[in-house]
């Protein structure tokens, strides 16, 4: 045990409270993103704890032994992290193989990159996004965090030894490590592109390691075994004040700081990591009160299981939400159920793996394995052998049969539809630009000629208009009215999937839609349309499928349209927990803005047919396209 290995080491119970804060923030960020907008900041809090404790233990070992045993350091890390991680993969892969084989796709890459601790770079290379869970559901999205931790474990002991040998004094070392952390934060700011998906800077070790190194820097000037328990009352009040202020700032940030704010990547996360380190420093100080205040049975329970809770959160959410339909209609109930399932999985992992493997003598591994198969193989003394063999066998089968970059027939149809509709959308913008650039100085043409030409064109298109009316279940009058409308349609993948229908019924419309769009990353695109004179009046918006928005984000977005009339198609996504949250929020905004009208696609689709949608229940099939366009036509023609 580490406490015996380091004679002056002490277990700081209050850090379980800090771990609890971090893991609760992360889980609620995924379960209730509209309430816990900044819960992702639990990750830099975890990083800061890790950086401080690892460096504090290395420093104690250096003082006690005069050296660092790199072999023992790496073995301790592997013993701590690998058994729960392997068990996690065995259980999740077994479930996927038996019940949800569509998630086997690219499993080999996930497992190899995670066990090799380079998953964050693998996900970046695959073009996967942490912020697009709905278009890319994976039970393994969150394991990027372990790779950043492990990569630091690999390089930090070497850097620690070099610093201790070459610099020696603690304060200069603190400054060097702090400056290195600052350089990482600056690199994050340089790499971040406002409005673009921030996954690269969110996942990258080079752009995230500052949180860990800030904790490491603190360990040099705030060694846990050299802090005095008896300090002046004034000093104690200052420490408690700093600790409480830090805790308050972090909790407030968990509720308020959306991951899409530019501030987060331009120094905000660095500043909050400093706040996290200040909290840790106060908690580890025996003269302050926060260690005691953050020590209780609940925090101790959650803190000790925080690794397992973190591991099982995503699989539980993905597995549960793929099976339970209309989750948004009973959001709180399903949230509680998912929390209970996460805690049950974490408890099983803790009891079956963490506690049993904590003091296991790995030199006796082969002897232990042979004992499992000593007759009688199945007995009361070996209750976990058969379940364990089943887990291993099924997960191995799943790993072997897992395809790479496999696309189902339905996914193929959707991809082809998206590619085709992108071309349609681009063509609509090109056509609008060409017509706008044409000169209108044909005043020499007589009114009689013009009237004759208009009648001839109308006669030629009568048959076509009737065909469009038949195809989209509209009256001829509705189609004729729609043909005259000129508006801009802007939206996400749902609207992109409807581009063909929009252009068939509204030939003069400009369509600008793409996958994964959200309000927060669309302002520049709207401004670009305005500069190209392609932002007509009215405007049709289809955003919200990929996430909620804050009032401030909506206010900034809606102001881009000035006095134009805005029609907003709300969200039909019964399998997504934010469906009702987004739709309720849109209704609130419609009360606030007189030029905003909600087109209630959700209610219309809920009363429709299941064959309107592909398997995800969100994107429209050809039958759903007819209903989608018909509803929009009725709304705009009014």
């Amino acid at each position: 045990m580490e406490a015996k290995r380091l004679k002056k080491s002490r277990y700081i119970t209050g850090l379980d409270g800090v771990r609890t804060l971090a893991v609760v923030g992360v889980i609620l960020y995924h379960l209730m993103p509209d309430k816990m907008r900044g819960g992702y900041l639990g990750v830099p809090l975890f990083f800061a704890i890790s950086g401080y404790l690892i460096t504090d233990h290395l420093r104690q070992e250096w003082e006690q032994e005069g050296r660092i045993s790199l072999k023992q350091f790496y073995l301790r890390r592997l013993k701590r992290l690998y058994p729960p991680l392997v068990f996690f993969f065995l259980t999740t892969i077994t479930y996927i193989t038996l019940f949800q084989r569509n998630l086997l796709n690219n499993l080999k890459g996930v497992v190899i990159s995670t066990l090799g601790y380079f998953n964050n770079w693998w996900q970046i290379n695959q073009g996967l996004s942490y912020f697009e869970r709905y278009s890319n559901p994976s039970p393994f999205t969150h394991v990027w965090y372990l790779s950043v931790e492990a990569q630091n474990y690999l390089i930090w002991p070497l850097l620690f030894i070099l610093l201790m040998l070459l610099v020696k004094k603690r304060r200069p070392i603190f400054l060097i490590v702090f400056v290195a952390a600052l350089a990482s934060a600056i690199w994050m700011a340089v790499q971040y592109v406002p409005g673009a998906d921030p996954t690269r800077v969110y996942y990258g070790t080079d752009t995230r390691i500052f949180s860990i190194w800030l904790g490491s820097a603190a360990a040099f000037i705030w060694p846990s075994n050299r802090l005095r328990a008896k300090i002046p009352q004034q000093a104690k009040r200052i420490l408690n004040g700093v600790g409480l202020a830090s805790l308050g700032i972090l909790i407030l940030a968990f509720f308020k700081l959306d991951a899409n704010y530019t501030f987060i990547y331009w120094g905000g996360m660095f500043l909050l990591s400093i706040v996290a380190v200040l909290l840790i420093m106060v908690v580890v100080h025996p003269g302050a009160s926060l260690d005691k205040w953050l020590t209780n049975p609940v925090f101790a329970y959650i803190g000790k299981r925080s690794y397992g809770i973190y591991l099982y959160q995503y699989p539980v959410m993905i597995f549960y939400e793929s099976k339970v339909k209309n989750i948004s209609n009973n959001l709180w109930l399903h949230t509680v159920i998912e929390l209970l399932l996460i805690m049950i999985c974490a408890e099983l992992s803790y009891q079956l793996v963490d506690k049993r493997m904590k003091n296991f003598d790995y030199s006796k591994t082969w002897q232990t394995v042979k004992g499992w198969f000593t007759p009688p193989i199945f007995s009361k003394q070996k209750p976990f052998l058969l379940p364990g063999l089943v887990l291993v066998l099924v997960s191995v089968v799943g790993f072997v049969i897992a395809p790479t970059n496999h696309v189902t027939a339905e996914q193929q149809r959707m991809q082809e539809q998206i590619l085709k509709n992108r071309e349609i959308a681009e063509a609509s913008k090109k056509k609008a630009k060409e017509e706008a650039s044409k000169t209108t100085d044909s005043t020499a043409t007589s009114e009689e000629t013009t009237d004759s030409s208009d009648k001839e064109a109308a006669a030629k298109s009568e048959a076509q208009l009737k065909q469009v009316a038949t195809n989209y279940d509209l009256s001829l009058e509705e189609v004729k009215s729609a043909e005259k409308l000129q508006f801009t349609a802007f939206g996400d993948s749902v609207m992109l999937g409807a581009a063909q229908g929009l252009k068939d019924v509204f030939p003069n419309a400009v369509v600008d839609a793409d996958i994964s769009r959200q309000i927060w990353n669309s302002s520049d695109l709207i401004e670009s349309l305005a500069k190209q004179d392609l932002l007509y009046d009215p405007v049709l918006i289809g955003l919200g499928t990929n996430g909620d928005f804050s009032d401030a984000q909506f206010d900034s977005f809606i102001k881009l349209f000035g006095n134009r009339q805005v029609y907003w198609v709300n969200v039909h996504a019964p399998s997504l927990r934010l469906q009702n949250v987004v739709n309720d929020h849109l209704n609130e905004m419609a009360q606030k803005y007189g030029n905003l009208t909600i087109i209630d696609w959700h209610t219309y689709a809920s009363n429709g047919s299941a064959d309107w949608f592909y398997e995800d229940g969100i994107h429209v099939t050809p039958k759903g396209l007819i209903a989608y366009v018909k509803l929009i036509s009725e709304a705009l023609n009014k």
Side-chain angles (χ1 to χ4, degrees):
M1 293 176 63
E2 195 138 83
K4 294 180 179 179
R5 182 180 63 85
L6 300 173
K7 297 175 183 178
K8 296 182 179 181
S9 177
R10 59 189 177 91
Y11 187 82
I12 304 163
T13 56
L15 287 181
D16 283 332
V18 181
R19 291 188 185 96
T20 299
L21 173 65
V23 76
V24 167
V26 171
I27 290 179
L28 294 185
Y29 171 67
H30 294 138
L31 286 175
M32 298 188 295
D34 59 311
K35 302 289 191 300
M36 193 66 72
R37 294 184 178 276
Y40 64 94
L41 293 168
V43 171
L45 183 52
F46 270 132
F47 280 155
I49 296 171
S50 173
Y52 179 85
L53 290 179
I54 289 297
T55 306
D56 192 51
H57 290 164
L58 287 173
R59 186 196 50 74
Q60 290 184 50
E61 182 178 350
W62 184 272
E63 290 179 352
Q64 180 177 298
E65 307 293 340
R67 57 187 290 273
I68 298 295
S69 173
L70 292 175
K71 177 182 177 181
Q72 291 302 315
F73 174 85
Y74 294 133
L75 284 176
R76 286 194 300 274
R77 291 298 93 204
L78 289 175
K79 290 176 183 179
R80 170 69 183 93
L81 297 176
Y82 247 64
L85 183 60
V86 171
F87 184 69
F88 162 76
F89 272 126
L90 290 176
T91 52
T92 53
I93 294 173
T94 295
Y95 178 90
I96 290 170
T97 305
L98 294 176
F99 305 111
Q100 211 166 333
R101 292 196 181 182
N102 61 303
L103 295 176
L104 286 174
N105 196 26
N106 289 324
L107 180 67
K108 293 185 180 72
V110 170
V111 174
I112 293 171
S113 64
T114 303
L115 295 179
Y117 288 126
F118 59 90
N119 178 267
N120 60 326
W121 295 111
W122 180 83
Q123 289 200 50
I124 290 171
N125 188 57
Q126 292 289 310
L128 302 177
S129 173
Y130 182 74
F131 303 95
E132 294 172 12
R133 174 181 162 194
Y134 305 128
S135 62
N136 228 341
S138 168
F140 306 112
T141 298
H142 62 314
V143 296
W144 70 271
Y145 159 82
L146 303 178
S147 296
V148 176
E149 283 269 29
Q151 289 160 34
N152 181 67
Y153 293 153
L154 180 65
I155 63 173
W156 178 245
L158 301 173
L159 295 175
F160 178 88
I161 293 171
L162 287 175
L163 290 168
M164 296 303 290
L165 289 174
L166 300 178
V167 183
K168 299 180 181 179
K169 294 183 178 181
R170 291 183 298 154
R171 293 188 183 279
I173 293 176
F174 163 79
L175 290 174
I176 291 171
V177 179
F178 183 86
V179 170
L182 179 61
S184 170
I186 292 173
W187 184 236
M188 169 183 268
V190 171
Q191 289 284 298
Y192 174 69
V193 178
D197 189 304
T199 295
R200 163 60 185 88
V201 296
Y202 194 84
Y203 278 171
T205 309
D206 54 342
T207 53
R208 292 303 301 272
I209 204 167
F210 60 81
S211 298
I212 302 177
W213 282 0
L214 285 172
S216 296
F220 286 103
I221 61 170
W222 204 263
S224 66
N225 63 335
R226 292 189 179 186
L227 302 172
R228 292 180 298 164
K230 293 183 179 180
I231 59 174
Q233 282 299 314
Q234 181 64 17
K236 185 172 185 174
R237 282 194 289 269
I238 293 173
L239 281 174
N240 288 342
V242 171
L244 289 174
S246 301
L247 182 61
I249 290 171
L250 287 174
I251 292 174
L252 183 64
F254 276 22
F255 281 100
K256 296 295 184 181
L257 286 184
D258 195 292
N260 301 314
Y261 290 160
T262 299
F263 163 74
I264 291 296
Y265 306 98
W266 283 356
M269 196 177 293
F270 180 77
L271 294 175
L272 288 165
S273 296
I274 291 177
V275 173
V277 171
L278 289 174
L279 174 62
I280 294 164
M281 291 170 69
V282 175
V283 171
V284 302
H285 199 297
S289 303
L290 256 72
D291 182 24
K292 180 176 66 176
W293 293 343
L294 292 176
T295 298
N296 61 64
V298 174
F299 287 177
Y301 180 89
I302 296 175
K304 286 182 172 62
R305 292 156 180 78
S306 58
Y307 183 33
I309 293 171
Y310 185 87
L311 282 177
Y312 287 96
Q313 53 161 327
Y314 247 91
V316 166
M317 286 184 269
I318 297 298
F319 298 158
Y320 184 85
E321 293 173 18
S322 67
K323 299 299 182 183
V324 178
K325 304 304 180 183
N326 295 316
I327 193 170
S328 60
N329 290 339
N330 294 287
L331 189 56
W332 282 103
L333 173 63
H334 293 302
T335 298
V336 170
I337 293 173
E338 289 180 70
L339 282 172
L340 289 174
L341 290 173
I342 292 169
M343 294 305 299
I344 290 171
C345 292
E347 179 64 21
L348 288 173
S349 177
Y350 182 76
Q351 296 295 338
L352 297 177
V353 181
D354 294 56
K355 288 178 67 174
R356 291 171 179 268
M357 301 303 292
K358 185 177 182 180
N359 298 315
F360 179 72
D361 186 353
Y362 284 86
S363 65
K364 298 180 180 179
T365 301
W366 178 241
Q367 181 181 344
T368 303
V369 173
K370 284 197 301 181
W372 293 344
F373 298 97
T374 302
I377 295 178
F378 301 113
S379 66
K380 292 181 181 179
Q381 287 71 37
K382 305 171 186 177
F384 301 115
L385 181 58
L386 182 58
L389 289 175
V390 171
L391 281 177
V392 171
L393 179 61
V394 176
S395 59
V396 167
V397 170
F399 182 84
V400 171
I401 67 173
T404 300
N405 296 327
H406 173 67
V407 179
T408 65
E410 182 175 280
Q411 289 171 335
Q412 182 67 32
R413 287 195 298 272
M414 287 182 66
Q415 289 180 7
E416 290 173 354
Q417 181 179 328
I418 286 173
L419 289 174
K420 178 183 177 182
N421 285 356
R422 275 181 174 152
E423 293 175 359
I424 292 171
E426 288 302 315
S428 74
K429 290 188 283 187
K430 182 179 179 181
K431 175 187 173 184
K433 289 179 182 178
E434 289 174 350
E435 291 182 353
S437 64
K438 289 178 181 178
T439 57
T440 56
D441 56 348
S442 54
T443 53
T445 305
S446 65
E447 277 190 28
E448 292 79 5
T449 305
T450 302
D451 290 343
S452 174
S453 176
D454 288 344
K455 290 177 182 177
E456 183 180 354
K460 287 181 180 179
S461 64
E462 187 78 16
Q464 295 174 329
L465 292 176
K466 288 181 179 179
Q467 186 61 54
V468 170
T470 301
N471 291 345
Y472 291 94
D473 192 24
L474 297 169
S475 67
L476 183 60
E477 289 71 22
E478 286 176 314
V479 173
K480 288 181 177 180
S481 177
E483 190 185 32
K484 300 174 184 177
L485 289 174
Q486 188 177 51
F487 63 89
T488 299
F490 182 90
D492 54 29
S493 57
V494 176
M495 184 167 284
L496 179 61
Q500 177 69 67
L502 291 174
K503 286 305 295 179
D504 286 345
V505 176
F506 306 100
N508 293 315
V510 167
V511 180
D512 190 316
D514 207 350
I515 60 173
S516 302
R517 276 188 182 165
Q518 298 188 55
I519 288 177
W520 62 267
N521 64 0
S522 295
S523 294
D524 289 346
L525 299 172
I526 294 296
E527 290 174 348
S528 175
L529 288 172
K531 290 178 181 177
Q532 300 174 70
D533 293 325
L534 296 178
L535 192 61
Y536 297 146
D537 187 4
V539 179
L540 178 69
I541 302 294
L543 295 174
T545 307
N546 297 300
D548 190 24
F549 46 86
S550 67
D551 286 359
Q553 288 171 334
F554 192 92
D555 292 341
S556 297
F557 183 72
I558 200 73
K559 287 176 182 176
L560 295 172
F561 303 109
N563 294 323
R564 295 175 180 84
Q565 185 66 33
V566 178
Y567 291 86
W568 200 299
V569 185
N570 69 7
V571 177
H572 178 75
S575 61
L576 301 185
R577 60 178 49 253
L578 281 181
Q579 172 194 263
N580 292 354
V581 172
V582 171
N583 288 341
D584 289 346
H585 206 169
L586 285 174
N587 289 333
E588 290 176 14
M589 294 298 104
Q591 297 295 320
K592 182 177 180 179
Y593 292 96
N595 64 328
L596 175 61
T597 301
I598 304 301
I599 299 178
D600 194 0
W601 169 237
H602 168 61
T603 301
Y604 193 73
S606 297
N607 295 325
S609 174
D611 61 2
W612 286 8
F613 300 94
Y614 287 110
E615 188 178 357
D616 62 8
I618 300 172
H619 296 90
V620 294
T621 61
K623 286 186 177 180
L625 173 64
I626 294 172
Y628 186 84
V629 173
K630 178 179 175 64
L631 178 65
I632 291 173
S633 175
E634 291 174 352
L636 295 183
N637 275 322
K638 288 181 180 178

